[in-house]
Amino acid sequence: MAGKRDTSKDGLGNKIQTLVLTNFKGLWQLLQSNEFIKRKVNKTLLNSLIYKIPTRPNAYSMMTLDEHIPDTNIPKKTDTYTSWESLNDRTYTGRHLPPDPKLNAEGNLPKVEDLAILFRKRDGKTIYSGKSTMLFPYWVQWFTDSFLRLNHYNKLKNTSNHEIDLCNVYGLTRKQTHLLRSFQGGKLKTQKLKRQDGVEEEYPLFYYADPAQDKVKPEFEGLYEPINDEKRQPIDKKQYMFAMGVERANVQIGYVMLNTLCFREHNRLCDELARNYPDWDDERLFQTSRNILMAIILKIIMEEYINHITPYHFKLFADPEAFTKESWHRPNYMAIEFDFVYRWHSAIPETFNYNGKPTHIVTSLWNNKMFIDQGLGALMEETCSQPGTKIGLFNTPDILVELTELPSIRLGRQLQLASYNDYRELCGFPRVTRFEQVTGNEFAQEKLKELYGHVDKIEFFVGLYAEDGRENSTIPALVARLIGIDAFSQALTNPLLSPNIFNKETFSPVGWEILQNTKTVSDLVNRNVPPSGKKYKVTFDL
C-alpha cells in the first residue's frame, strides 16, 4: 500500500532546486531561447550536479581489497589509504567511498536469500513505467555495457577502457577492431539477410563456422571468448550469432538491434565520406566514420537520453568548450558505485509484444532470428510502442531475481560497500533516520524494518531502489544524483569532445554537418532502414 513519503530528510537545498527546475516552464523556455543565456544556464546546472561529490581522481579503488600482492604469498593489508598504484592502475575498479568492513561483517546484515522478497513482484503484478518505452532499458543495457565491465574472473577488477567508445561495436582492442573491418572503403564486415517478407537488410557477419562444434570462423578467431551463457545455447540460436565487439553483444534482441544500427550507420557514413572525399583511403574513411558515430552517440546520450531521465523543464545539452577548466575535467576512471546504479533489471518487462503477440522476455535472449525476421524498423517501432517497467523494488522478473538482484547484493558485501545512508551523505542528501523517509510504500517500510532493523544498516544496492521515484522521472533521487555526477563528468571528458578535437577538421565538413543534424535515435534508425516511404516511430518517451 502506498502512502506519502516523509520528505523531511530531502534537504532544503535539494527541495528548492527540484521545485525551481520542475516548475516555471515558461521561464525555462524563455531562457533557452537565448543562446548565450542557454549556455550559461546549462553550464551552471551541470556543474551543480557534478560538484555534489568530491571530483576525480577518487582516493580509493578495489586494489585495497586484493588479498595478495601479485606474484607473492604476502597478504596485502586492507587498510584504506591512497597509493600511486590505486590512482593509476585502472584495471582495478574505482570507488567513491572506502570499504566498510563493520557494516558487511558476517551476521550484521540479513541473509541474502531473505532479501529476495524486496525484488519479487507482489501477487505477480507488473508495475509499468508511466514515462518510458522499452527502448529505454534496451538503450541503457547496450551503452553502459561498453564501459561498466567487471572482470568475470576477479570482481575487484574490470575490462573497461573507461570511455564511451562503442567497444560493443568496434571491440576493446585494435586487434579486435581489425577482425571486424573489411578493409575496403572504411567499412565494417556485413552481410545481407532477408526478413520474413523477403526484403533484404544489412547485418554483421555470423560468428560461427560450425555452431554444432562451437567452431568460430577463422576470420574471427581471437575476437572474444564466448561466455558460458552463449556456449549453452542450442544450434538453432548459435547459427545466427553475429560477430560484434564484445562477448555479450548477442545477449538480447534489443542489444543486437542497437549494435546492428551502429554497423549500418558506420558503413553509411563511409559511403557519404567516400562520395565527398574520393581521394581518402580505407584507413581515413574508417577512422573518421568511427569518430563521427561515437560523437553522435555521445550527443544522443547527453541530450536525448539524459533529458528523458530528468523531470526538468530545462533541456541539458553537450557543450564541450564550457568545461575544460573545471576541476572535475580529469581522466575517466569508472567507479563501482556507477556500476550498481545501472543495475536496472526491474526496467525490463517479463512479457512483451513481439510481432503483435505476447512473448516471454527469455525468448528474446540469444535469439537473433527474432530480429532478422522482423527487421530493424519494424522491431524498433514495436519496441517503442509499448512501455518498459518501473525501476524499483517489487518489480523484477522472477528469473532475474536469482540471476541478477541477489548476486548484486552478494557482490556489494564482497566489496564491502558503505551503507545507503553513507552514500546519501556523500551525494548531498541528509541521512535518513526513519524508514518512512526512504519510501512511502508501507509494505516496503515494513519489510525494510523487519530485515534491517535500523536505517543505518540498509545496504547501498537495496537503498538505491527502495527510494520512491520522482514525479515525471524514470529513476529515484539517489540513483539520479549518482548518474548525473558520473555520466556527465565522464562523457564530457571524452577525447572527441575536446575543443581542439570537436571541429570540422576532425570530422570533416560533411561529417560535421551530419553530426550537428543528428539529434535522436530516430534520426539514426530512419536513415538506416530500406526505403519504404514510411517513417518509423522511435522514442524513449511513451
Side-chain angles (χ1 to χ4, degrees):
M1 186 170 61
K4 190 173 182 180
R5 185 176 65 85
D6 178 357
T7 62
S8 61
K9 293 296 183 180
D10 286 6
L12 180 60
N14 295 319
K15 287 181 178 180
I16 292 172
Q17 184 181 53
T18 299
L19 175 69
V20 172
L21 287 169
T22 57
N23 290 278
F24 317 112
K25 185 176 181 179
L27 175 61
W28 290 115
Q29 289 176 334
L30 179 64
L31 292 175
Q32 290 176 101
S33 66
N34 181 287
E35 187 65 26
F36 176 79
I37 295 175
K38 182 173 78 169
R39 291 189 67 198
K40 289 291 185 184
V41 172
N42 188 66
K43 180 177 181 178
T44 300
L45 290 178
L46 288 182
N47 275 332
S48 75
L49 289 172
I50 295 169
Y51 283 123
K52 294 291 186 185
I53 68 173
T55 59
R56 289 190 307 280
N58 294 327
Y60 315 107
S61 87
M62 294 302 170
M63 183 176 282
T64 59
L65 290 178
D66 213 356
E67 293 181 358
H68 296 89
I69 297 174
D71 304 320
T72 75
N73 291 318
I74 303 171
K76 185 177 179 68
K77 293 182 179 180
T78 57
D79 297 339
T80 303
Y81 54 84
T82 304
S83 69
W84 181 251
E85 288 181 333
S86 69
L87 287 173
N88 287 278
D89 187 348
R90 295 192 299 171
T91 63
Y92 285 93
T93 304
R95 62 191 307 158
H96 288 303
L97 285 179
D100 187 343
K102 184 177 179 181
L103 173 71
N104 293 278
E106 188 173 351
N108 189 48
L109 294 171
K111 293 180 180 178
V112 172
E113 294 75 16
D114 292 343
L115 295 170
I117 193 172
L118 296 175
F119 298 94
R120 290 199 181 102
K121 298 176 182 181
R122 296 188 65 194
D123 302 320
K125 293 181 180 177
T126 297
I127 308 168
Y128 286 94
S129 170
K131 186 174 184 180
S132 305
T133 68
M134 275 188 64
L135 177 60
F136 176 62
Y138 282 178
W139 177 273
V140 169
Q141 180 187 26
W142 172 74
F143 99 86
T144 60
D145 207 49
S146 68
F147 53 89
L148 298 176
R149 299 182 47 80
L150 294 187
N151 189 304
H152 298 303
Y153 305 104
N154 182 352
K155 298 297 185 181
L156 303 179
K157 307 186 84 173
N158 65 80
T159 59
S160 177
N161 289 328
H162 301 274
E163 294 285 356
I164 300 173
D165 62 356
L166 293 189
C167 65
N168 36 13
V169 176
Y170 295 106
L172 285 158
T173 66
R174 192 176 188 185
K175 177 182 177 181
Q176 291 169 324
T177 303
H178 281 187
L179 294 177
L180 294 166
R181 291 177 59 179
S182 69
F183 290 98
Q184 293 182 352
K187 294 185 176 184
L188 295 167
K189 296 173 182 176
T190 58
Q191 62 180 324
K192 296 283 183 138
L193 299 172
K194 288 184 179 180
R195 304 187 315 220
Q196 278 185 331
D197 62 6
V199 176
E200 284 191 335
E201 295 198 28
E202 185 181 21
Y203 297 89
L205 293 185
F206 291 131
Y207 179 67
Y208 289 100
D210 183 355
Q213 302 296 322
D214 285 342
K215 186 176 181 181
V216 175
K217 289 182 178 179
E219 63 186 303
F220 297 127
E221 287 285 352
L223 182 59
Y224 61 80
E225 173 61 29
I227 61 177
N228 288 333
D229 277 356
E230 180 175 320
K231 292 176 181 178
R232 287 192 286 263
Q233 298 308 310
I235 295 171
D236 63 339
K237 286 189 176 182
K238 280 186 182 175
Q239 64 181 319
Y240 293 109
M241 302 267 178
F242 294 131
M244 297 182 284
V246 294
E247 71 286 346
R248 284 170 45 83
N250 288 285
V251 68
Q252 201 268 346
I253 56 171
Y255 199 128
V256 179
M257 179 170 63
L258 290 165
N259 247 20
T260 300
L261 172 61
C262 288
F263 267 69
R264 292 186 192 179
E265 176 66 2
H266 175 95
N267 286 356
R268 193 195 71 83
L269 289 168
C270 287
D271 286 338
E272 287 289 323
L273 294 174
R275 274 194 294 270
N276 286 274
Y277 309 107
D279 58 327
W280 282 17
D281 62 9
D282 168 78
E283 188 67 19
R284 187 166 185 182
L285 288 169
F286 172 80
Q287 298 296 351
T288 306
S289 295
R290 183 185 192 178
N291 286 345
I292 296 167
L293 181 55
M294 283 196 287
I296 286 172
I297 297 301
L298 283 163
K299 183 179 177 184
I300 289 172
I301 288 167
M302 288 186 284
E303 297 182 6
E304 185 180 22
Y305 163 73
I306 290 291
N307 284 314
H308 171 74
I309 288 176
T310 71
Y312 306 149
H313 290 307
F314 185 89
K315 301 305 178 186
L316 301 166
F317 61 94
D319 187 5
E321 293 184 2
F323 302 100
T324 54
K325 295 182 180 179
E326 299 295 334
S327 63
W328 56 259
H329 207 277
R330 303 270 183 173
N332 285 356
Y333 193 157
M334 296 301 160
I336 190 62
E337 294 88 351
F338 199 22
D339 184 278
F340 273 74
V341 299
Y342 266 121
R343 295 181 176 227
W344 295 353
H345 311 117
S346 55
I348 298 288
E350 197 152 13
T351 302
F352 69 105
N353 289 329
Y354 169 77
N355 201 18
K357 298 177 182 178
T359 305
H360 197 281
I361 195 69
V362 171
T363 308
S364 72
L365 301 179
W366 307 99
N367 194 347
N368 294 347
K369 186 69 163 54
M370 291 177 68
F371 173 36
I372 297 166
D373 286 348
Q374 284 280 80
L376 177 62
L379 182 59
M380 185 67 79
E381 185 166 78
E382 190 169 35
T383 296
C384 297
S385 70
Q386 52 193 309
T389 42
K390 186 178 179 181
I391 295 169
L393 299 185
F394 313 121
N395 211 31
T396 301
D398 284 345
I399 190 174
L400 295 180
V401 173
E402 299 291 338
L403 289 178
T404 59
E405 307 290 32
L406 299 188
S408 294
I409 295 170
R410 292 189 185 96
L411 179 60
R413 294 181 184 186
Q414 177 190 344
L415 304 180
Q416 298 182 6
L417 294 182
S419 71
Y420 160 69
N421 245 343
D422 288 340
Y423 281 102
R424 280 183 62 88
E425 188 173 28
L426 173 74
C427 292
F429 292 106
R431 299 175 72 90
V432 297
T433 55
R434 302 168 61 236
F435 291 98
E436 293 81 358
Q437 293 159 350
V438 180
T439 174
N441 185 309
E442 293 177 9
F443 183 74
Q445 294 168 12
E446 174 190 328
K447 289 302 171 185
L448 287 169
K449 187 173 184 178
E450 177 185 310
L451 290 160
Y452 287 101
H454 194 282
V455 289
D456 279 340
K457 285 190 174 183
I458 299 176
E459 296 165 88
F460 176 55
F461 181 70
V462 172
L464 280 173
Y465 301 105
E467 286 189 344
D468 292 344
R470 303 169 298 167
E471 186 176 355
N472 196 35
S473 177
T474 60
I475 47 180
L478 185 57
V479 173
R481 181 66 56 87
L482 283 162
I483 285 178
I485 291 163
D486 272 339
F488 280 113
S489 74
Q490 303 200 77
L492 286 164
T493 54
N494 190 285
L496 288 172
L497 300 185
S498 299
N500 63 320
I501 302 295
F502 194 68
N503 52 43
K504 292 180 182 179
E505 285 69 34
T506 298
F507 302 106
S508 80
V510 168
W512 182 254
E513 184 177 356
I514 293 170
L515 173 56
Q516 296 302 312
N517 292 326
T518 306
K519 304 180 185 299
T520 63
V521 182
S522 179
D523 292 336
L524 284 178
V525 171
N526 280 291
R527 66 187 186 218
N528 282 289
V529 291
S532 66
K534 175 180 179 178
K535 182 172 182 179
Y536 292 98
K537 183 180 179 182
V538 179
T539 176
F540 292 127
D541 298 300
L542 279 174

